[in-house]
Structure formats: structure tokens, C-alpha cells
Amino acid sequence: MTERTTANARPETAPGPFVFDIDRLHTLASDGVIRAGIAYLKDKRVLSLAADETRLVARVEGWRPHLHWDVEIEADPDGELHTVCGCDFDDEPTCKHVVAALLAYAERLESEQVASAADRALSDRKHRGKTEVHVRHVTGSPTFGTWTAHTMTDPNAPTRPYTVQLRSVHERLNTCSCPDFAVNRLGTCKHIEGVLHQLKKRRARIPRLAHALVYLHWELNDGADIDGAPTIRVRLPDQPAPELTAILDRHFDARGVLRGALPDAWARLEKDAERRVDIDLGDDARAHASRVALTQTRAARATAIAEAIQRSGGHLPGVRARLYPYQTDGVAFLASNGRAMLADDMGLGKTLQAIAAARWLIDNESVTRVLVICPASLKTQWQREIQRFTGLDAVIIEGGAAPRHAQYRRGATFTIANYELVMRDLTALSDELRPDLLIVDEAQRLKNWRTKGAAAVKSLRTRYAFVLTGTPLENRLEDLYSIMQVVDGHVLGPLWHFIPRYHVLDARSTPVGFRNLAELRRRLRHVMLRRDKRLVRD
């Protein structure tokens, strides 16, 4: 039996002595011991676990059957951990069994908090579906089919209703065209819940499923990690025809999960289902397959763009500037992603990189209208830089309502508006200007996701979006989350899951610390590029 003491294992900001993620574990153990502890956790070798405020005890299975070690971890008032394990490992202060126990505790705590957050998120949408949403049946059977739904209480809600495709009243197989459904990972939204509430009031007869449904499934109820990739699944009708069963058996396994890797597996399924009326390929599954395909092509496209600029000596056609190598990388990153954040330090030329990437999209992706949103004090600078580097028309939005609407209809390649105008002119921006590319400068102004101004910017629907900021994270992770909603709401997932995943919460669900930050950085690296002056000073 080995007893050890680890000094200052608990940083001042930690909410509890036993909450460790991968980053914090490096204060206790080497990479090899941590990897062994992770392997023990994945093999479910932590057989029992109990903890209070100062003591954690666990039983961890050893390397051979029927061999187990008792682990005891205590925290003293100074934050030092005293660990006891029955094993004879004494090469380092902490053994793999202690690491496995700490990881199991963090996993259990996070699982409980995520489950609680999911329950609250579902309850909220059910309540709002009953009290805020008006629904109307459009096509299909009196129960299943197409419904429309819109929010009655939100003055900023779109005038056009969202479309709900109702497929089931018992399972989360339904879809909605609203932005919340696309990213909330719950399989429902307030509009779907509004339809279900209406059917419950009518006591509508529920027909049997008439055709096969292919849909996107999040593992919320299966005990799986929600950060894992969702699965594309099929639900068969009650009495499928033999021919239908034979076709689906080629594409789906016994659990109903699509076989093979995306996007190729989806392409094969689409080909077989092309002329069949008894297979419904859900828009949610189709959109997921498209996102996977796009992700796989981004790296190759970024390399091709950067190499083309480098072969031209740092010049991009249509841009009157010679780009430094790091700026070339930034242009390629923005242009290849289409939706991305550039978080370079001030003075590294974020404006030039965004303009150059916009020019590439104009020349190669049929972009015709670019909307630049920036502080009022920077509008003239943006106009001057656009005209200097590209010679393209750039219009500043200003004046009263009538002149502004005329400016939106002018059809300039670049339209420049300040933040305050977005909420005032949201309808004109969406219906008259209809930009292909949105560039948001000084995006830290969107850090408070609860403000109406931030909500207005995020409601703009564009094919492409560049977000520019020198300070993506100032005080809270929620600031970063809010800004990322303009880039791609799928990257960080729904807020109800983001909070417990990357924060440690107290008994009142208030964030009191951070965790899983290494994972957060990995998730952001494909859509956020940050360089400081030290990296590019040469």
C-alpha cells in the first residue's frame, strides 16, 4: 500500500478538490500514467465510487481478473491531496488507479449535471410550446404531415412561420426548420411541442407509420456522450414490404444505424432511395451528411488557396496588396471554411485578410453582396480599405429610414452598417439586401447573447460569415459561445449542454470553475484562427 501527498493540486479557482480534467491531471501525473488511467476508465475498471467534500474512495479493478485495488483520496484545508492505493507503484506521486478514480468522479458529476440540464431544456420547450406557439396543419394526414408554427410573444420573431414535419407523437423523429431545432440536440423544439400539445388537446387518432423514416439521432437517452457524432438511423413501418426491407438492410445495421462512413454512405443511400416513395430521407440527416462532407473538403481547399497565393508571390487576383505568409494562411482559412472566426491580435491585418477572402468568394463562389457590420467609428475606414484593396463599390448605410432603404436596394458589392442599425433595419437587411457573406468586425460586442442587438445579428441568414475580433474571450466562456453562434451554432452545441460540459457547477447550477478546456480548443481549431504578434513578428 502506497501513501502519497500532492501539494497544491487544487488551483484557487477550482470548486472542489476532486474535480479534475486532463489539463489539471498533468499537475499530478505524467502522460504515461494519465493514459493508463484513461484506459482503465474506458474499460470500466472503476467498480465503485463514493465521495463527500473532503474524501473520495473507489475500488479499481487491476490488470488481471479478480484483482482490485482500494483507492482513498483526501483533501486537507490547504488544497493538498493525500492519496492511498493498495498497489505498489511508487515511481511517481500518483498511480493510474488514482487517476482512473478522479476521472470517474468527474465523469459522473458531469453526467448528472448534463442530464439535469437536458431535463430543464426539454421542460422549457414544452412549456413554451403550450404558451407561446400558434400552429396550423397544412398537408398530410390529420395528424402526421406538414404543420406551420410561429411564436406569438416575440416581437422580433420572423413574420414567416417555421415548418414542422410531424412523424411521431411518441418518439423524437420530427423536424422543424427553426434555428433552435438545428442545434439544440434534443430532437424537439417549442414549435414541435406546440404541435404535439395541439394534438393532445384534440385527442387525435394516431395513424400507423406508413413508410420508412431516415433521421438524425442524438444519443440523449442511450447513456452515450452527447459530444460524440450523432448517428443517422432508420425507423421501419409496422409492415414493411420485403423489397423495402431488402434495400434498407444493405444500408442499416440491426440497430437501424447507417453503415459505413459519411458522406459516402449517405450518397449510396440517396441513390437507392431516389425514386422510392416509401423512404423519407429527413432534412436533418441530409444536413448532417452535408456538413461532414464540407468538413472533409475544407483542409484541401485551404491548402490549394494558400499555394495559389504563394505561387503569385503573395498576391491574390483582384486584391491590390502583397500578403504576408501568415495573412495568406488567414485568407485561405476564411475562404475555405466559409464560416469562421479570425481572432488575430490588433495590428496583424484582420481587415485586409477578410477583404481578400471576400474577394476570393466573389470570384469563385458566386458571392455578389457582402454585408459588413462594424462600430460606427470604423465604417469610413472599412469603405476606404475595400476601395483601396479591391476597387469594388462599398456603400455606407446612413441617414433616415427612406435613404437607408434606398441604399440597401442599390446593389453594391459591399454594404457597411453599424451595429445599432442592424436591429432597426433587420427586415430590410433580410428581405431587400439579402447578403451572401456577413463580415462582423469587433465581434466582442456580441458577447452578451441575451441582448436584442446580438440576437438581431445572429438572426441574419447568410451562406458565409467571417467574424473578426482581437479578444474572443475576455471574462467568461459564455462570451465566446455567444460570438460563435454567428459562425456556426453546431460547433459548440446548445447552451444547455455547453455550460455543464465546460464549467463546474455548484448546487444551484452556477458556474464556479472551468473544465475540459483542451477539448474546447480542439473543437474550435477548425473554425477559429488566432495568432499573436510574437508568432508573426518576423
Side-chain angles (χ1 to χ4, degrees), residues 373-444:
I373 299 175
C374 64
S377 59
L378 297 180
K379 290 197 293 186
T380 302
Q381 177 183 334
W382 267 95
Q383 183 186 49
R384 184 170 59 249
E385 298 285 278
I386 291 167
Q387 293 174 342
R388 171 190 172 192
F389 292 128
T390 69
L392 296 173
D393 191 15
V395 172
I396 293 178
I397 303 300
E398 55 191 352
R404 294 202 307 273
H405 281 257
Q407 292 159 6
Y408 290 129
R409 293 192 295 268
R410 177 173 166 178
T413 305
F414 286 85
T415 299
I416 306 168
N418 53 289
Y419 280 91
E420 292 76 14
L421 287 179
V422 176
M423 186 168 58
R424 195 180 310 168
D425 294 349
L426 185 58
T427 301
L429 288 167
S430 300
D431 298 341
E432 296 179 19
L433 183 63
R434 297 190 301 276
D436 303 301
L437 167 63
L438 172 66
I439 300 177
V440 182
D441 192 16
E442 300 291 337
Q444 63 271 16

Side-chain angles (χ1 to χ4, degrees), residues 64-260:
R64 66 176 185 267
H66 310 299
L67 176 68
H68 61 265
W69 306 112
D70 290 322
V71 172
E72 183 175 332
I73 308 172
E74 290 190 357
D76 65 22
D78 296 327
E80 292 186 349
L81 292 187
H82 304 269
T83 65
V84 177
C85 180
C87 74
D88 57 1
F89 179 82
D90 59 2
D91 293 343
E92 296 183 26
T94 305
C95 67
K96 60 188 176 184
H97 310 109
V98 170
V99 170
L102 290 170
L103 287 172
Y105 175 77
E107 184 179 75
R108 187 180 73 178
L109 181 65
E110 181 184 329
S111 177
E112 292 171 352
Q113 292 173 343
V114 168
S116 176
D119 289 341
R120 290 194 299 271
L122 281 169
S123 296
D124 174 69
R125 284 158 180 80
K126 289 178 180 179
H127 173 73
R128 294 171 67 189
K130 295 178 183 179
T131 59
E132 299 180 6
V133 177
H134 176 72
V135 303
R136 183 174 64 88
H137 183 256
V138 179
T139 62
S141 74
T143 301
F144 293 162
T146 303
W147 294 67
T148 60
H150 67 271
T151 302
M152 303 293 294
T153 59
D154 185 359
N156 296 316
T159 55
R160 292 185 298 273
Y162 293 114
T163 300
V164 173
Q165 292 293 336
L166 194 72
R167 300 160 170 173
S168 173
V169 297
H170 302 298
E171 299 178 81
R172 296 177 194 164
L173 306 178
N174 309 304
T175 65
C176 181
S177 61
C178 75
D180 178 57
F181 179 83
V183 301
N184 69 31
R185 304 184 182 186
L186 295 169
T188 190
C189 64
K190 67 179 182 180
H191 307 106
I192 293 174
E193 294 300 328
V195 173
L196 295 175
H197 175 64
Q198 188 66 234
L199 291 175
K200 185 177 181 180
K201 288 201 305 181
R202 295 180 186 177
R203 298 182 179 178
R205 186 179 67 85
I206 308 304
R208 291 186 175 185
L209 197 61
H211 49 266
L213 298 176
V214 178
Y215 63 101
L216 189 67
H217 179 76
W218 291 97
E219 309 282 348
L220 282 175
N221 298 319
D222 295 351
D225 181 6
I226 192 174
D227 274 327
T231 54
I232 293 178
R233 299 195 179 191
V234 67
R235 180 57 49 87
L236 292 175
D238 293 335
Q239 296 178 336
E243 182 185 2
L244 174 63
T245 302
I247 291 174
L248 295 176
D249 283 346
R250 292 201 299 267
H251 296 282
F252 295 90
D253 63 20
R255 296 186 302 141
V257 178
L258 184 66
R259 303 177 190 270

